[in-house]
Amino acid sequence: MDLDAAHHSRWRTADAIFGMSLILGFGLEFWWPLTFTHVIDRELLHVLGAPLLLLGSALIYMAKREMARHGQPSEPHQATARIVTSGPFKYSRNPLYTGLLLAYLGLSVGTDMPWWTLLFIPTMFATRAVLIAPEERYLEHKFGQDYLAYKRAVRRWL
């Protein structure tokens, strides 16, 4: 793990945040089952969920590809050498997290898991507090005015 990095803990990862949310959703579903199918047809759930899942996955792929094109790691426990502002980073400072949230929401709707859908907002806030905030502080400290200008020009999510 690099000391010049936004995160120094293996637990401060999207895998941990989203994994805990998924596990909690499974546990709640076991304890108190919920379903969307009382109000929405199962096929409609697939029609609503699949595009979100695909859009989120595509955004993650494009963001990772853009970072690799610039020789930048996508793992927050590795040092950042430059700010990537092209590709999906022209529209979102956090396209990887935005893609994960879209995919998570698509998965929750498409698989009829209302607990995951209910956990979407807490998962988004946890992503913001545990992952994004330290990364923004790191980038502000490392790149100063260049990052602050990028931050003013490009939205956090979309």
Side-chain angles (χ1 to χ4, degrees), residues 14 17-18 51-64 67 74 88-107 120 123-128 131-132 135-136 150 154-158:
I17 299 292
F18 286 84
L52 289 171
L53 180 60
L54 292 172
L55 178 63
S57 299
L59 186 55
I60 293 166
Y61 172 77
M62 290 185 309
K64 283 188 172 262
M67 291 182 85
S74 61
F89 293 91
K90 287 189 287 191
Y91 310 103
S92 170
R93 294 192 316 261
N94 297 287
L96 290 167
Y97 298 137
T98 302
L100 269 171
L101 285 163
L102 287 170
Y104 175 96
L105 188 58
L107 184 66
F120 175 79
T123 302
M124 186 174 86
F125 280 116
T127 300
R128 163 72 178 87
L131 301 174
I132 294 173
E135 290 173 20
E136 287 182 342
Y150 174 64
V154 178
R155 299 172 63 99
R156 176 175 290 131
W157 301 105
L158 288 175

Side-chain angles (χ1 to χ4, degrees), residues 50-87:
L52 289 171
L53 180 60
L54 292 172
L55 178 63
S57 299
L59 186 55
I60 293 166
Y61 172 77
M62 290 185 309
K64 283 188 172 262
R65 188 183 68 192
E66 194 65 20
M67 291 182 85
R69 194 169 76 79
H70 290 278
Q72 289 301 109
S74 61
E75 297 297 324
H77 62 273
Q78 295 177 335
T80 300
R82 70 179 52 88
I83 302 167
V84 177
T85 60
S86 56

